Amino acid sequence: MEKPFAITLDVGSSLANKTGSWRTHRPVYVDRLPPCNNQCPAGENVQAWLYLAEEGRYEEAWRKIMEENPFPAIMGRVCYHTCETACNRGALDEAVGINGVERFLGDQAIKYQWRVEAGAPTGKRVLVVGAGPAGLSCAYHLARRGHAVTVLEGSDKAGGMVRYSIPKYRMPREKLNAEIRRIVDMGVEIRLNSPVEDLCAAIAHHGCDATFVAVGAQRGRHLQLPSTARVPVLDAVQILRDLEREEAVPLRGRVIVYGGGNTAFDVARSAVRLGAIESLVVYRRTREKMPAHRSEIREALEEGVTLRCLSTITHVGDGVLTAERMELDAKGQPQSTGETETIVATTLVLALGQDADLGLLSGVPGVRVADGLVEVDRNLATGAVGIWAGGDIVPADRNATVAIGHGKKAARQIDAFLRGEVLRRPVKHELASADKMNTWYYSDAPRAIRPILEAVRRTSGFAEVVGDYDEGTALYEARRCMSCGNCFECDNCYGVCPDNAVIKLGPGKRFEFNYDYCKGCGVCISECPCGAIARIPEAI
Amino acid sequence: MEPQIIKFYQTGSFAVGNRLLDDSQRSVQADMRRSNSLNSGHRACQGCGEALGARYAIDAAMQATKNQLIAVNATGCLEVFSTPYPETSWQLPWIHSLFGNAAAVATGVAAAMRVKGREEVRVIAQGGDGGTTDIGFGCLSGMFERNDDVLYICYDNEGYMNTGVQRSSATPPAARTSTTATLGADPGNVFGQGKFVPAIAMAHEIPYVATASVAYLRDLEAKVHRAMSLRGARYLHIFVPCPLGWGAASEDTIRLARLVVETGLFPLFEAEHGEVTGRYHIRNRVPVEEYLKLQKRYAHLFGKRPAVDTIGRIQAMADRNIRRYGLLGEEA
Amino acid sequence: MLKQTEGSHAVAEAVALCRPEVICAYPISPQTHIVEALGEMVKGGDLARCEFINVESEFAAMSVAIGASAAGARTYTATASQGLLFMAEAVYNAAGLGLPIVMTDANRAIGAPINIWNDHSDALSMRDSGWIQLFAETNQEALDLHIIAFRLAEELSLPVMVCMDGFILTHAYERVDMPAQAQVDRYLPAYEPRQVLDPRDPVSIGAMVGPEAFSEVRYLAHAKQLQALDRIPVLAAEFAAIFGRESGGLVHPYRTEDAETIVVAMGSVMGTIKDVVDEMRAGGAAIGALGICSYRPAPLAAIRAAVEGAKRVVVVEKSLAVGLGGILATDVRMAMSGLHLHGYTVIAGLGGRPILKSSLHRLFERAGRDDLEHVTFLDLNWDVVNRVLDRERAVRRSGSIAENVLRDVGVTSTPGV
Ligand SMILES: Cc1cc2nc3c(=O)[nH]c(=O)nc-3n(C[C@H](O)[C@H](O)[C@H](O)COP(=O)(O)OP(=O)(O)OC[C@H]3O[C@@H](n4cnc5c(N)ncnc54)[C@H](O)[C@@H]3O)c2cc1C
Ligand SMILES: Cc1ncc(C[n+]2csc(CCOP(=O)(O)OP(=O)(O)O)c2C)c(N)n1
Ligand code: SF4
Ligand SMILES: [Mg+2]
């Protein structure tokens, strides 16, 4: 075409005009820290594995979990999932059912026997004392890094309190066993029935290069109650341990459980299952103040457990207990009122918390114990070179997830120590807080309901109460994830740029800015649903 | 387990794309092969809604017609920022003639295509609100009335932006423009004036009339597709915020285009042969203040003594739209 | 084929022979008969492969033409007077975009006062628009010029306006030689647009051009008209070869050899002028005439060559540059610059006022004696004019001049104030 001068132009010629020079601020893609990841005591990259799961890439999702936590099937049952409390989606409709998806993935792995290989042998040997979640987690992470691990466990089975305290209806044993077996299959040696009484001797005997101590807190706290001692007073932890061992447990008649934590409810709910006429939890504060999990309390009540709050037991009599009614003062502290009442009781179970037995550490130079806990630095190192400690024996929240996190952290430190390196802390990404998100783009999607066993069927045995997500539901829940702070390739930036200054790199490759043309308007930043674009000033 | 169809997607249909969806189910804008009909290097302001809306609409039309498309453009920002000699941003055959004649020029192009037996080539005319609702209105109405085979797209930024933000018949009440100063008893544009051209278009009983907003890409693209599936005169009125003229932050362009719909101030609907056939139901209703206060053109309503009455009158307009077009799904 | 027909109809038939593809029409007297006839031909199927579009205004008519032409269709429209002004913006635009649209202007006066009769004010108001403007002297030439116009327009990619006097030509039944389709096809090849809107080869037409290139664009428009100066005689010659008659060209000299007085004019008045020239020549006066066919481009050299040997030039024009005098005369003066000739401007025939042979006789005789004002208003009713002027000198008041004039000549019943 013989084009008239200036009036008629060749298409697309404006590419010669680099509008990027207008910019005063530039957008940059970032990965922000999703609140769930931030919250996870085991350091799971929750958003990342949900991302894989929502594409149906379950094995990859599972492997993503396994990078941080070797127990997805256990976590999917006993983890208190504070990630869900932190989840940004909670403000929109309801938090993502992270825990249920994790269980689904854990169970998939067991079903299809997915395995993890140990790392190339380093020739180093590590001793782990205690085969609870902390110890096993540490052993697993060390094995992945190629170190030989020997775990010394006092009991006849591995699993720690998860096995010896958490009842079967919450933690089916075949899942527990399967996840422990996978670690053993990696070459980790677990020596059962091997209680350590003197750590130094054990270290000398096993000739190891580093040690992780995670013996947990197994000793139930005791309380001396004025008693005419006709009602048996039992220890909650011991009862649960006996239950696991399938020894006869005297939870019959009217069972009174004293305490408001998860342990109390595990015992109370077990009592219901064992045929107790009454299962009553007595607690000195209000129901809201109970440390036990809401779901635990709710499920217990559904099963027939009763509560008596603002009540302290003051005397154990002949088939009756005396309880005093408490009142909250202005500060919310329970104060005695002097009013008493009696409670008919067959058995009283004390569920007042556990202490650690740290006798094995007494002769270890450098290791300090205060308030019944081992003093450690923020890398879980004790005062003794080459000895780390974690789980219930160090000052931290006491739960399996924290313990597993400790195991991982210690393993990383030990690995660095064995390699003669100093571990550099990774820079923590900025939090993907709700104000950085644009949640308009997420479809309304109420949370899926996890199937719950009917109460009547629960009380007749130790079948698992909280059911599994089927695949569809797991996928649905995974897809409810908003991928906070991390690009999930929704194409919004690519679409909303008025200047076509976003280059789409193709599936899985995300996007790039074309700074030749980006004018820095910031629309992509405003419209990024998950807050994965930051705005930074240009140096002008 | 029963095999089940997964219906839910992480971001449903609100985001531009969705990696979980099949290519064919994604928006045109999500497609790496989209035509970028209005390419980089254009001189629109940062965050220009009109630039965005034009690419959204034309890319969709290009896809719908397998690139057999010719565009006619009225004078205005879109024309000026896209084709200053020696560079054009357009990637399709495009012509600019005058401010007020885009619809008629398009009629001519369509006639030429018909007479040449090239009916697969489709024609779009486009212009700003001034070029559409004011100076080009005669030609527009003529094109409608003859039912010429043209899709006319109005990019409504509620004023004559290219000449420095003067009032048009699409400027809303109370808004400040350079010809409706915030002075006197009735600051800003007065109430009781202006026209809503989509309704007038419907009165022509043309095959298709629709409104859209750059914040609702899927809806916009669906409407372009519907329009291109029909022959005869069609009209699409797209709400496109103008950061410069409205005194809004450039990054708020889509936010404003969303709020105007969620307040009810701008109804999204479609109509065929004069009858409303579909409407967007407000998903998250918000009071008009949330929309108004992001724009300096309404700043005089939010001074030390907020103009509660005026805001109330604007809210009443939103409420009337909601009633008139049945914008609240269940309640309607 | 010879036939007796109305000028409008002859033009419509000629346009149809040119195989137009898009015709847009908006009615205005005295153009109506042309588009009515074309509309009928399209609707009746006599003119196949043609779109006839009834638009809502002249502005739309020219705009539709712009679109159709830019999309590669041979496009035609017709208008007059108010209509031409109503489309003015698009008229300039069509030329600026270099679109070979052909338009008939059935020349008519411009209001106010509204007047449907003939003069050239409408066409001349568009003289700087960039259009080529050809004036027909007769119905035969009017129809021939349309055929030439399409050829010229498409060769140069410029719009061409064929101007024919409203009523005088458009509504006159005269004998014309209507060419055969084969002849027209031989003369006018199929339209091959220089630039076209086509998805197969997309371009952006109608860019915004700033100071850095605007002058060049305008110069090129000028240069194109200069090219037209060369092409118009060539095309006229080719036309003569195929159709066997003279039509078009830049100028039509009539008995200018050794003429001392040369009368210059455009359009149908040339017929009257030629008669007067003949009569005066018979009386021994050295007088000739020069008909200007190509008003734009202005054939300055041809005019100069034609008048060089004369003593005086009398421009008789149906237009008035208010506050200046002649419009055509100004151009002719420019062609004469440096030549020491007397130049007279005669404003005649405004709003359909008949140009009488007797008046012309008197006029040319006075011119021969160099007894003419520089600007003469032919057959002006000085009584009326002076009365108004006197009154206005006495009393300053507003109001329509037209109404006051009519009151003076006793046509209105509105009581005087
Ligand atoms: C009733 C109850 C319910 C609970 N429910 C939950 C729950 O639902 N979710 C949750 O996250 N957490 C729960 N917890 C807490 C959780 O079980 C513990 O925090 C977690 O198990 C601590 O892990 P650990 O590895 O530090 O110690 P432990 O699990 O206590 O493991 C320590 C291991 O070391 C062994 N050991 C001890 N001493 C020696 C020694 N001297 N030599 C060799 N081996 C030794 C023990 O036999 C044991 O196997 C619950 C606790 C209780 C008591
Ligand atoms: C006949 C005519 N009158 C006025 C103008 C001046 N003019 C050019 S663009 C424009 C404003 C365009 O407003 P709108 O159509 O709303 O488009 P916007 O620039 O807001 O996108 C005006 C008044 C013109 N070019 N032509
Ligand atoms: S939405 Fe997803 S990524 Fe965000 S906090 Fe919740 S689970 Fe984590
Ligand atoms: Mg506008």
Side-chain angles (χ1 to χ4, degrees):
Chain A
M1 199 183 300
E2 188 195 325
K3 285 182 264 305
F5 170 69
I7 297 163
T8 301
L9 304 174
D10 285 319
V11 292
S13 42
S14 66
L15 289 177
N17 185 32
K18 302 280 170 69
T19 51
S21 60
W22 302 14
R23 208 169 45 236
T24 56
H25 284 80
R26 68 165 55 198
V28 282
Y29 289 109
V30 290
D31 284 303
R32 290 199 170 105
L33 181 63
C36 50
N37 298 16
N38 186 43
Q39 178 58 39
C40 179
E44 283 188 28
N45 196 340
V46 177
Q47 171 275 329
W49 59 256
L50 285 172
Y51 181 91
L52 292 163
E54 71 186 22
E55 291 183 3
R57 294 154 70 183
Y58 303 132
E59 185 171 346
E60 286 166 78
W62 177 79
R63 291 195 183 280
K64 195 83 198 164
I65 301 176
M66 292 296 284
E67 285 174 18
E68 315 296 337
N69 186 335
F71 300 121
I74 297 173
M75 287 290 93
R77 292 175 166 86
V78 307
C79 175
Y80 294 137
H81 47 74
T82 46
C83 52
E84 295 187 15
T85 317
C87 174
N88 280 337
R89 180 136 202 156
L92 203 65
D93 37 35
E94 288 164 279
V96 173
I98 300 172
N99 186 253
V101 181
E102 187 168 20
R103 182 200 292 199
F104 169 78
L105 293 172
D107 290 354
Q108 287 284 109
I110 293 170
K111 185 167 161 196
Y112 296 107
Q113 297 183 356
W114 296 333
R115 300 164 51 95
V116 175
E117 298 304 322
T122 58
K124 304 284 184 185
R125 171 163 297 277
V126 181
L127 185 68
V128 172
V129 185
L136 291 173
S137 161
C138 184
Y140 163 82
H141 285 288
L142 288 166
R144 279 183 57 209
R145 289 168 168 79
H147 306 298
V149 187
T150 301
V151 183
L152 301 179
E153 165 57 46
S155 307
D156 57 358
K157 279 180 184 155
M161 295 297 257
V162 175
R163 179 184 303 278
Y164 288 110
S165 283
I166 303 181
K168 293 188 175 96
Y169 61 85
R170 290 211 287 129
M171 186 62 244
R173 296 307 185 242
E174 70 276 12
K175 308 285 183 189
L176 175 63
N177 294 339
E179 292 206 315
I180 295 174
R181 195 173 321 116
R182 198 160 49 217
I183 296 174
V184 172
D185 288 348
M186 288 169 77
V188 169
E189 183 196 8
I190 303 179
R191 293 200 190 169
L192 301 171
N193 302 310
S194 310
V196 175
E197 268 141 36
D198 175 349
L199 185 63
C200 290
I203 293 172
H205 179 256
H206 289 278
C208 55
D209 303 297
T211 307
F212 179 58
V213 184
V215 291
Q218 270 99 27
R219 254 195 346 226
R221 267 181 215 141
H222 227 73
L223 178 68
Q224 277 311 335
L225 288 167
S227 163
T228 41
R230 293 310 267 283
V231 176
V233 180
L234 305 173
D235 169 27
V237 184
Q238 189 57 46
I239 287 178
L240 294 168
R241 178 173 284 265
D242 290 347
L243 256 178
E244 172 61 15
R245 295 220 172 95
E246 299 186 349
E247 287 172 14
V249 212
L251 289 182
R252 264 165 267 110
R254 302 184 188 278
V255 178
I256 313 302
V257 185
Y258 193 28
N262 289 312
T263 311
F265 283 92
D266 279 338
V267 173
R269 293 175 69 185
S270 294
V272 170
R273 284 165 173 77
L274 291 170
I277 301 167
E278 185 183 356
S279 181
L280 173 70
V281 174
V282 176
Y283 180 56
R284 42 197 286 271
R285 298 164 191 254
T286 57
R287 179 170 162 186
E288 291 64 44
K289 288 260 161 65
M290 281 188 167
H293 236 251
R294 301 297 102 182
S295 58
E296 187 91 356
I297 301 170
R298 193 187 59 238
E299 285 165 21
L301 292 173
E302 285 166 5
E303 291 162 11
V305 173
T306 49
L307 301 184
R308 180 167 303 191
C309 293
L310 286 170
S311 197
T312 47
I313 296 172
T314 52
H315 182 263
V316 183
D318 198 3
V320 288
L321 305 173
T322 309
E324 183 183 349
R325 205 176 63 75
M326 307 294 279
E327 240 175 32
L328 292 186
D329 64 12
K331 287 184 191 143
Q333 292 299 323
Q335 302 296 347
S336 34
T337 58
E339 289 173 38
T340 58
E341 50 193 350
T342 53
I343 302 169
V344 181
T346 314
T347 309
L348 172 63
V349 182
L350 297 181
L352 304 166
Q354 292 87 243
D355 291 321
D357 180 352
L358 299 174
L360 78 166
L361 296 172
S362 52
V364 187
V367 175
R368 276 184 306 277
V369 174
D371 298 332
L373 298 169
V374 182
E375 280 185 12
V376 286
D377 67 9
R378 59 184 199 157
N379 294 326
L380 299 175
T382 65
V385 175
I387 302 177
W388 283 259
D392 279 1
I393 60 167
V394 302
D397 284 349
R398 280 186 175 174
N399 60 58
T401 320
V402 168
I404 291 165
H406 284 176
K408 178 181 75 174
K409 190 177 205 178
R412 287 191 180 155
Q413 294 297 331
I414 291 168
D415 177 60
F417 170 76
L418 295 178
R419 292 176 196 275
E421 294 163 3
V422 180
L423 205 61
R424 251 198 270 122
R425 278 177 171 270
V427 266
K428 210 172 164 186
H429 290 187
E430 188 189 8
L431 190 67
S433 44
D435 60 303
K436 302 205 165 53
M437 312 268 298
N438 186 338
T439 55
W440 165 264
Y441 290 99
Y442 301 99
S443 305
D444 308 299
R447 180 185 173 126
I449 306 295
R450 248 167 133 167
I452 302 278
L453 201 63
E454 288 160 57
V456 277
R457 289 175 56 204
R458 286 190 225 161
T459 50
S460 53
F462 278 76
E464 190 167 16
V465 171
V466 179
D468 305 334
Y469 282 156
D470 60 18
E471 185 189 347
T473 319
L475 203 54
Y476 171 90
E477 272 306 316
R479 286 172 177 190
R480 290 183 65 240
C481 171
M482 304 193 293
S483 194
C484 309
N486 289 264
C487 173
F488 58 98
E489 296 185 17
C490 72
D491 294 324
N492 255 21
C493 53
Y494 181 60
V496 301
C497 176
D499 294 285
N500 306 342
V502 175
I503 302 165
K504 180 169 172 170
L505 299 172
K509 300 192 194 126
R510 297 186 169 186
F511 308 86
E512 254 174 26
F513 287 109
N514 186 343
Y515 293 113
D516 278 351
Y517 301 108
C518 165
K519 294 172 184 161
C521 67
V523 172
C524 55
I525 302 174
S526 298
E527 303 308 318
C528 175
C530 67
I533 308 176
R535 171 184 150 100
I536 59 168
E538 285 290 353
I540 316 169
Chain B
M1 194 174 64
E2 287 283 291
Q4 50 179 307
I5 299 149
I6 306 302
K7 292 200 196 72
F8 173 73
Y9 293 95
Q10 178 181 42
T11 59
S13 55
F14 300 109
V16 168
N18 187 332
R19 70 180 206 283
L20 303 173
L21 282 176
D22 198 61
D23 264 349
S24 62
Q25 291 171 277
R26 302 191 199 176
S27 71
V28 176
Q29 286 305 311
D31 195 333
M32 288 171 78
R33 295 155 308 175
R34 74 183 189 205
S35 45
N36 280 338
S37 315
L38 179 66
N39 210 353
S40 308
H42 63 70
R43 291 153 201 254
C45 302
Q46 290 155 321
C48 171
E50 190 165 76
L52 189 59
R55 195 190 70 229
Y56 280 179
I58 305 298
D59 277 1
M62 286 285 268
Q63 199 229 31
T65 60
K66 300 198 175 64
N67 299 343
Q68 296 301 300
L69 195 69
I70 295 175
V72 177
N73 213 128
T75 312
C77 281
L78 178 59
E79 165 262 330
V80 169
F81 71 61
S82 66
T83 53
Y85 164 80
E87 293 147 6
T88 170
S89 306
W90 296 102
Q91 311 248 53
L92 76 166
W94 177 96
I95 185 170
H96 161 246
S97 172
L98 294 169
F99 189 19
N101 71 354
V105 173
T107 291
V109 175
M113 290 303 126
R114 197 162 51 243
V115 78
K116 291 187 174 297
R118 294 188 62 190
E119 308 227 342
E120 78 284 2
V121 179
R122 308 296 304 276
V123 185
I124 277 186
Q126 53 185 357
D129 50 296
T132 305
T133 73
D134 289 338
I135 198 166
F137 193 65
C139 286
L140 183 70
S141 177
M143 185 275 279
F144 284 167
E145 160 281 312
R146 290 186 301 270
N147 198 23
D148 293 329
D149 190 17
V150 172
L151 168 61
Y152 190 101
I153 302 175
C154 170
Y155 301 103
D156 181 4
N157 54 21
E158 304 191 326
Y160 291 110
M161 297 320 179
N162 189 53
T163 35
V165 197
Q166 293 85 9
R167 175 205 181 270
S168 80
S169 63
T171 301
R176 176 189 54 109
T177 69
S178 15
T179 50
T180 54
T182 48
L183 297 170
D186 244 342
N189 195 30
V190 295
F191 280 81
Q193 298 184 342
K195 54 178 148 174
F196 188 54
V197 169
I200 305 176
M202 281 171 66
H204 290 73
E205 307 209 344
I206 56 177
Y208 190 70
V209 173
T211 59
S213 153
V214 281
Y216 301 79
L217 171 67
R218 295 303 198 104
D219 176 72
L220 188 157
E221 287 186 351
K223 285 168 176 170
V224 172
H225 270 258
R226 177 73 187 138
M228 295 320 286
S229 74
L230 301 169
R231 292 275 171 178
R234 289 143 292 141
Y235 181 69
L236 181 60
H237 189 106
I238 307 179
F239 188 87
V240 291
C242 167
L244 183 88
W246 299 3
S250 61
E251 69 261 29
D252 278 345
T253 291
I254 292 185
R255 192 189 313 276
L256 288 168
R258 183 158 53 234
L259 287 172
V260 79
V261 172
E262 298 299 313
T263 51
L265 283 172
F266 187 80
L268 295 185
F269 64 92
E270 48 188 343
E272 298 193 7
H273 299 289
E275 278 172 51
V276 174
T277 52
R279 59 199 39 84
Y280 165 83
H281 290 146
I282 288 175
R283 181 173 170 226
N284 186 11
R285 190 175 178 185
V286 286
V288 294
E289 285 96 322
E290 287 200 24
Y291 166 70
L292 303 174
K293 69 188 179 203
L294 294 174
Q295 308 170 54
K296 291 209 189 76
R297 62 176 173 159
Y298 294 114
H300 59 284
L301 304 182
F302 298 96
K304 280 204 195 92
R305 261 183 293 130
V308 188
D309 281 1
T310 313
I311 297 170
R313 291 178 80 180
I314 297 173
Q315 183 64 53
M317 288 167 53
D319 296 345
R320 190 193 58 198
N321 278 341
I322 288 173
R323 257 194 331 275
R324 186 178 282 173
Y325 292 96
L327 301 179
L328 295 178
E330 304 86 77
E331 287 178 36
Chain C
M1 190 183 63
L2 292 176
K3 63 192 318 187
Q4 184 78 18
T5 186
E6 193 203 34
S8 294
H9 214 273
V11 166
E13 276 187 61
V15 168
L17 288 171
C18 292
R19 304 186 187 277
E21 294 171 298
V22 175
I23 296 173
C24 9
Y26 190 83
I28 183 166
S29 297
Q31 151 266 32
T32 43
H33 293 182
I34 304 175
V35 292
E36 285 164 9
L38 282 165
E40 208 173 293
M41 284 184 241
V42 173
K43 193 111 205 214
D46 299 330
L47 181 46
R49 291 191 18 87
C50 180
E51 294 282 329
F52 185 88
I53 302 169
N54 284 302
V55 290
E56 72 281 358
S57 73
E58 286 85 358
F59 179 63
M62 184 47 66
S63 300
V64 170
I66 287 168
S69 183
R74 181 171 285 165
T75 306
Y76 171 80
T77 186
T79 191
S81 178
Q82 314 297 134
L84 187 62
L85 262 61
F86 199 76
M87 66 166 66
E89 194 192 8
V91 169
Y92 271 70
N93 189 251
L97 295 177
L99 299 173
I101 298 161
V102 170
M103 172 164 69
T104 309
D105 180 5
N107 300 112
R108 166 182 152 179
I110 292 172
I114 192 162
N115 171 300
I116 64 164
W117 309 104
N118 168 248
D119 71 28
H120 292 168
S121 314
D122 55 358
L124 269 50
S125 75
M126 291 295 116
R127 62 168 190 219
D128 301 328
S129 65
W131 282 62
I132 288 172
Q133 294 182 308
L134 306 177
F135 278 78
E137 285 187 26
T138 61
N139 281 359
Q140 182 68 56
E141 191 174 40
L143 85 84
D144 291 346
L145 279 181
H146 281 88
I147 300 166
I148 295 171
F150 277 112
R151 171 88 188 266
L152 181 63
E154 289 167 13
E155 256 189 25
L156 294 171
S157 208
L158 268 190
V160 178
M161 192 184 302
V162 179
C163 304
M164 65 189 291
D165 287 317
F167 295 109
I168 300 169
L169 294 182
T170 56
H171 287 56
Y173 276 73
E174 274 172 23
R175 201 178 68 156
V176 293
D177 186 358
M178 190 59 62
Q181 183 68 60
Q183 283 175 304
V184 177
D185 287 349
R186 196 136 65 87
Y187 184 75
L188 179 63
Y191 173 34
E192 268 183 48
R194 176 168 305 191
Q195 53 174 347
V196 66
L197 294 168
D198 190 337
R200 288 183 286 224
D201 183 10
V203 287
S204 298
I205 300 179
M208 182 180 75
V209 178
E212 72 281 13
F214 197 78
S215 299
E216 286 70 19
V217 169
R218 296 313 296 156
Y219 175 78
L220 288 168
H222 178 61
K224 238 194 214 179
Q225 290 239 344
L226 299 183
Q227 288 169 30
L229 278 182
D230 294 337
R231 291 304 296 162
I232 289 169
V234 175
L235 294 186
E238 276 184 38
F239 185 89
I242 292 176
F243 297 87
R245 61 177 171 275
E246 306 276 336
S247 260
L250 297 172
V251 292
H252 301 271
Y254 185 75
R255 303 185 79 168
T256 48
E257 62 288 354
D258 60 74
E260 289 178 358
T261 304
I262 294 183
V263 181
V264 181
M266 298 196 294
S268 61
V269 73
M270 276 303 290
T272 322
I273 291 172
K274 282 181 194 168
D275 287 350
V276 176
V277 165
D278 287 344
E279 288 161 18
M280 287 178 71
R281 278 266 181 190
I287 187 164
L290 183 70
I292 293 186
C293 177
S294 171
Y295 174 66
R296 284 291 179 272
L300 297 180
I303 296 172
R304 187 184 179 91
V307 303
E308 226 163 10
K311 287 202 175 126
R312 64 189 69 77
V313 174
V314 182
V315 179
V316 177
E317 62 175 290
K318 293 183 172 181
S319 47
L320 169 64
V322 180
L324 171 67
I327 301 174
L328 176 63
T330 307
D331 292 2
V332 173
R333 292 275 160 97
M334 188 173 170
M336 287 158 48
S337 63
L339 299 179
H340 294 284
L341 301 180
H342 290 287
Y344 302 103
T345 301
V346 181
I347 311 296
L350 294 186
R353 172 75 57 93
I355 300 177
L356 305 174
K357 274 207 303 196
S358 52
S359 305
L360 291 178
H361 266 287
R362 278 198 298 281
L363 183 78
F364 298 158
E365 276 158 16
R366 281 177 62 198
R369 301 192 301 273
D370 287 322
D371 176 25
L372 261 188
E373 326 260 294
H374 268 306
V375 180
T376 305
F377 285 78
L378 191 68
D379 296 342
L380 193 69
N381 185 340
W382 284 107
D383 270 1
V384 168
V385 168
N386 286 333
R387 226 180 303 157
V388 172
L389 293 176
D390 287 347
R391 185 170 51 228
E392 290 207 334
R393 258 191 293 277
V395 197
R396 290 264 157 232
R397 66 179 157 122
S398 61
S400 156
I401 293 177
E403 200 160 296
N404 290 334
V405 169
L406 292 177
R407 201 177 300 124
D408 287 342
V409 296
V411 177
T412 178
S413 58
T414 316
V417 183

